[in-house]
Amino acid sequence: MLSKVAMSRPLVGREMLRPRDENETQARLAVSVAAREGAGLRTEDVTGWLDACAATHRFRVDRIPFAGLGDWSFDADTGNLRHRSGRFFSVEGLRVSVDEVVQTWSQPIIRQPEIGVLGILVKEIDGVLHCLMQAKMEPGNPNLLQLSPTVQATRSNYTGVHGGSQVRYLEYFTEPGRGRVLADVLQSEHGSWFHCKSNRNMVVEATDDVTPADGFCWLTLGQIAELLRRDHVVNMDARTVLACLPLTTQQQEGRALLTDAELLSWITGERSRRALSVERIPLSDVDGWVRGPDSIRHEQGRYFSVVAVSVVAGNREVATWRQPLFEPHGTGVTAFLRREISGVPHVLVNAKVEGGLLDTLELAPTVQCTPENYAHLPAAQRPGFLDLVLTAEPHRRRYEALHSEEGGRFLNATSRYLIIDVTDDDVPHPCPPGFQWVTPAQLGTLVRHGHYVNVQARTLLACLTTGAVEP
């Protein structure tokens, strides 16, 4: 662990808070990306450190029947599953109708209107920016502990509704002037499972001494990039925050197929032509779902189930609790197709409509689905390019890793993230409706504004911009 001296450089009055232009910030971030080892843990020791953190405290997750949820119960009138405090989140119903082929369905949905904080604290150590990462237990993670942001907390948690201890380092993200803001933007969460859920994604540079508490460590962006190549190490919340960093510019990449104005016009056109109707309904009115003593399941066994768990976590603000979780059926596949256009790397985005999004659609990966949910359908009704991704030869897989989705709300929700090299012949010209070629730099510009790039695409963007993906 770092000494206090090594963790910071001397301050000279308020000089450290002087404004920096974007080019200077990008240059400093680039140095951190290039640093594959840092001043703290060696990269090869991080997984062992996570294991040691897991061994230090008691962690356990057990499935329980709904009757054992304690402070959670089903409302007698609506069937909605709620906490007695009225805070945290609730499980309700959603009825969705989407244009074109006029798809209509209803489903359980998580409603959590409060905005949480996802924040990474960075600090210059020996001339290199380091990120303060946390070994955080989430009950839905398959391996429980993963690297998370410095702060990962809902409003209910950080305002103490649970009656637990305070969230460490929260003041850097809630008290103006505690540090230099490098990124601060509201971003969506999973639009298929959350109703209009947003989190504040922040990166703040500390200008004072910061001592890592137990379960925290300093890592460079280059070290995190190496860890993004490993399965189930960097959690979803860390990935979405990393995607918001100003790491690339279009000038660095070269000319894009579409100008930024043309891309914004295309997104606006896609939002305008899609007809989406969303209605919150009582959970008891959701069609095609069956509630049993220990789960709410789709009658055909597809999609996901709502289940209940009892949790023991010795290093959390509250050591024990009970809660519902969504458990998907099958491993997701999330992939960008990638090709060079006039020598400039582009990825194929999908303007994907999801019932829980605030503004109809956001830019998603080329493929984002759970294949088992479509196995019974003819090829024409399966998601576009899914078969191309599933059958891609190993040499075309520029990136591949298993990552967990949000472990605080989803149980064993794992997706196989890929970036697949393709040729001109693999994708029709022009692109099919709803698909477009964009550069990673254009995604990096859009992600600095809320609700343009969805959470799955932000994971792949973080992999691209931090150098986790081979150039």
Side-chain angles (χ1 to χ4, degrees):
M1 203 61 70
L2 298 174
S3 69
K4 193 171 183 178
V5 173
M7 283 185 292
S8 66
R9 301 166 69 182
L11 301 179
V12 181
R14 301 293 289 176
E15 180 183 5
M16 289 295 291
L17 285 176
R18 72 188 188 280
R20 295 178 183 267
D21 63 31
E22 186 167 298
N23 289 336
E24 182 183 2
T25 297
Q26 288 172 343
R28 297 171 71 223
L29 292 170
V31 171
S32 185
V33 167
R36 295 294 159 156
E37 294 295 344
L41 282 173
R42 295 186 306 169
T43 307
E44 67 183 52
D45 294 334
V46 172
T47 52
W49 174 75
L50 286 169
D51 291 341
C53 290
T56 302
H57 300 277
R58 184 182 175 211
F59 299 106
R60 180 167 176 169
V61 178
D62 294 308
R63 293 172 185 261
I64 59 174
F66 290 132
L69 271 175
D71 290 337
W72 296 79
S73 63
F74 291 97
D75 183 84
D77 295 326
T78 64
N80 293 346
L81 184 54
R82 302 170 60 186
H83 192 268
R84 67 175 178 84
S85 68
R87 301 289 296 275
F88 302 108
F89 64 96
S90 60
V91 180
E92 304 180 2
L94 201 70
R95 183 175 289 123
V96 184
S97 178
V98 184
D99 61 357
E100 295 183 346
V101 294
V102 190
Q103 297 175 306
T104 301
W105 73 91
S106 58
Q107 64 170 90
I109 198 83
I110 297 172
R111 183 168 182 266
Q112 188 175 347
E114 60 184 35
I115 294 174
V117 173
L118 306 178
I120 294 179
L121 191 65
V122 301
K123 178 74 183 172
E124 192 169 288
I125 304 171
D126 297 335
V128 180
L129 287 174
H130 286 63
C131 302
L132 186 60
M133 306 300 289
Q134 179 183 179
K136 190 174 184 70
M137 182 273 192
E138 294 290 345
N141 289 339
N143 57 346
L144 295 184
L145 262 74
Q146 297 184 16
L147 284 178
S148 81
T150 318
V151 169
Q152 177 185 318
T154 66
R155 178 177 290 274
S156 290
N157 285 347
Y158 70 73
T159 57
V161 174
H162 52 39
S165 59
Q166 294 184 342
V167 176
R168 291 182 183 273
Y169 307 109
L170 178 67
E171 64 274 12
Y172 287 95
F173 306 95
T174 58
E175 298 178 9
R178 284 303 302 262
R180 182 182 298 108
V181 176
L182 303 186
D184 189 356
V185 60
L186 291 179
Q187 298 288 4
S188 62
E189 288 209 38
H190 295 75
S192 294
W193 294 333
F194 280 105
H195 180 256
C196 298
K197 176 71 172 74
S198 295
N199 280 320
R200 191 176 181 186
N201 288 230
M202 303 181 70
V203 180
V204 174
E205 182 180 0
T207 56
D208 55 2
D209 291 341
V210 180
T211 301
D214 290 342
F216 290 80
C217 69
W218 291 107
L219 297 173
T220 68
L221 288 171
Q223 289 181 286
I224 296 171
E226 292 290 337
L227 297 168
L228 281 167
R229 299 177 181 177
R230 305 181 189 179
D231 296 347
H232 301 304
V233 175
V234 182
N235 82 353
M236 187 215 76
D237 297 296
R239 302 191 306 264
T240 178
V241 176
L242 291 167
C244 298
L245 280 168
L247 283 165
T248 60
T249 65
Q250 195 58 49
Q251 289 71 28
Q252 290 171 323
E253 283 195 346
R255 183 167 181 170
L257 179 65
L258 298 182
T259 66
D260 289 350
E262 290 170 336
L263 176 57
L264 287 170
S265 177
W266 177 77
I267 296 170
T268 302
E270 288 296 311
R271 284 175 169 167
S272 299
R273 78 176 179 86
R274 308 302 297 271
L276 175 67
S277 173
V278 177
E279 177 188 6
R280 285 171 53 203
I281 61 174
L283 184 58
S284 56
D285 290 351
V286 171
D287 297 325
W289 294 76
V290 179
R291 181 176 132 192
D294 55 9
S295 69
I296 301 172
R297 301 173 57 88
H298 189 267
E299 60 188 6
Q300 294 176 335
R302 300 192 184 105
Y303 312 121
F304 62 90
S305 296
V306 183
V307 299
V309 296
S310 172
V311 184
V312 175
N315 69 342
R316 291 287 296 262
E317 292 85 10
V318 173
T320 63
W321 71 92
R322 300 178 184 190
Q323 70 169 92
L325 290 172
F326 277 27
E327 182 180 30
H329 296 178
T331 300
V333 171
T334 304
F336 269 142
L337 299 187
R338 177 197 178 276
R339 62 182 282 244
E340 293 192 359
I341 300 175
S342 300
V344 178
H346 286 66
V347 295
L348 188 64
V349 297
N350 178 9
K352 187 174 181 64
V353 175
E354 296 182 274
L357 295 176
L358 276 169
D359 196 357
T360 307
L361 60 82
E362 296 183 9
L363 299 188
T366 320
V367 172
Q368 175 193 311
C369 70
T370 301
E372 289 88 338
N373 293 334
Y374 300 90
H376 63 293
L377 296 176
Q381 296 182 34
R382 289 159 61 84
F385 305 107
L386 174 59
D387 293 334
L388 175 61
V389 168
L390 294 179
T391 59
E393 300 92 338
H395 72 273
R396 301 178 72 176
R397 300 174 193 165
R398 184 173 289 263
Y399 176 83
E400 183 173 8
L402 290 172
H403 290 303
S404 305
E405 305 302 335
E406 215 286 304
R409 298 292 178 265
F410 312 135
L411 180 61
N412 297 324
T414 296
S415 294
R416 182 179 167 217
Y417 281 84
L418 303 108
I419 296 178
I420 306 293
D421 283 327
V422 296
T423 66
D424 292 352
D425 297 331
D426 292 316
V427 179
H429 299 280
C431 294
F435 292 86
Q436 186 57 263
W437 291 105
V438 304
T439 68
Q442 287 179 309
L443 289 179
T445 298
L446 287 172
V447 85
R448 297 182 214 176
H449 307 275
H451 309 295
Y452 276 103
V453 182
N454 81 355
V455 68
Q456 290 91 341
R458 294 197 300 272
T459 280
L460 289 172
L461 177 61
C463 295
L464 285 163
T465 56
T466 61
V469 181
E470 293 292 343

